[in-house]
Amino acid sequence: MMGSIQDGAKLFQMMNLRAPTDIVQSVIRGLSILELVAGHEAPLKAQDVAAFSGLHVATTYHLLNTLVHAGYLRKEDGAFALSSKVAELYSQYDRQLRPSPASLAAIHRLAAESEETAYVSRWHQGDVTIAGVAEGRRAVRVTGLHVGVRGHAHARASGKVLLAFGPADRLTQYLARTPLEPRTSRTIVEPAALRKELEAIRQRGYSIDQEEFVEGVCCLAAPILDETGSASVALTVTIPATRFAEVHKTACSLLIREADAVTRDLISSLA
């Protein structure tokens, strides 16, 4: 199995410590079990789930059977696995995030020409969220880089460019509800410093993340502007820090070319 029993129990303990006082504990536990089962390739027996979560076996059985009854898990040979209803939920979520054909074509051109990973993100539910990914031949492997990954806009090139080119109240709302948590030693964690960085991005026209989100990884991002000059979608190129100095000028040129092309396509479609 992936991970360890101690790690699983620790995860549940941390979730309990962070939980606000007005939530339903059983719902949190049920969703956590769903994530736990999803994280394993093979179906899990109730005893394994209980061991990972640190919950009593009887409680675990009740939660698992409830998830089976609701259609989110299926039971086979005494073990539990995800059901197709989870895929249906993801399909609905994917439809909300799905980028335009022009944006998808752009990141595939970026990946092919730069040979690096490229992706499109959008501002979704108050933070930056990856909506599409295209891997290049020299793609750097970043754990968790997939459709649906969201959060830490202040530490990511895509997030910073969407804060810089977003509506005036986007940054205000983001700062009001989101702590500027450090992802690495390079992450901007002071609101004044972030505002200064965003002004530089507006002047430059694109953003740079030099190991601010993940150690050893750099990113460039450019906005897709709408007819008002605002942006809720961005294109990003991901580059290993070891070759950033060598390739970033070429990658930036390709990125801006593609972002400008998608911007023109968007505005012309609205004309």
Side-chain angles (χ1 to χ4, degrees), residues 83-197:
S83 78
S84 59
K85 193 167 185 177
V86 175
E88 293 172 16
L89 280 180
Y90 176 77
S91 179
Q92 294 290 339
Y93 182 68
D94 181 60
R95 275 196 284 273
Q96 295 177 19
L97 280 180
R98 190 172 301 159
S100 68
S103 295
L104 286 175
I107 62 171
H108 282 284
R109 287 192 297 268
L110 269 174
E113 294 186 49
S114 69
E115 300 186 333
E116 309 288 355
T117 293
Y119 60 91
V120 55
S121 298
R122 65 168 63 250
W123 195 261
H124 182 67
Q125 297 179 350
D127 215 321
V128 64
T129 306
I130 294 178
V133 180
E135 288 195 3
R137 188 176 65 83
R138 302 174 72 192
V140 59
R141 295 287 179 177
V142 181
T143 301
L145 187 63
H146 56 79
V147 173
V149 170
R150 70 186 302 274
H152 299 97
H154 62 285
R156 298 165 60 181
S158 54
K160 290 191 295 181
V161 85
L162 292 178
L163 287 170
F165 286 92
D169 61 347
R170 181 177 292 168
L171 176 60
T172 302
Q173 293 174 2
Y174 181 79
L175 290 174
R177 63 173 174 263
T178 310
L180 301 185
E181 298 176 346
R183 288 279 305 185
T184 73
S185 61
R186 296 171 180 257
T187 306
I188 296 173
V189 295
E190 296 295 334
L194 181 61
R195 292 180 187 278
K196 183 177 180 180
E197 170 75 356

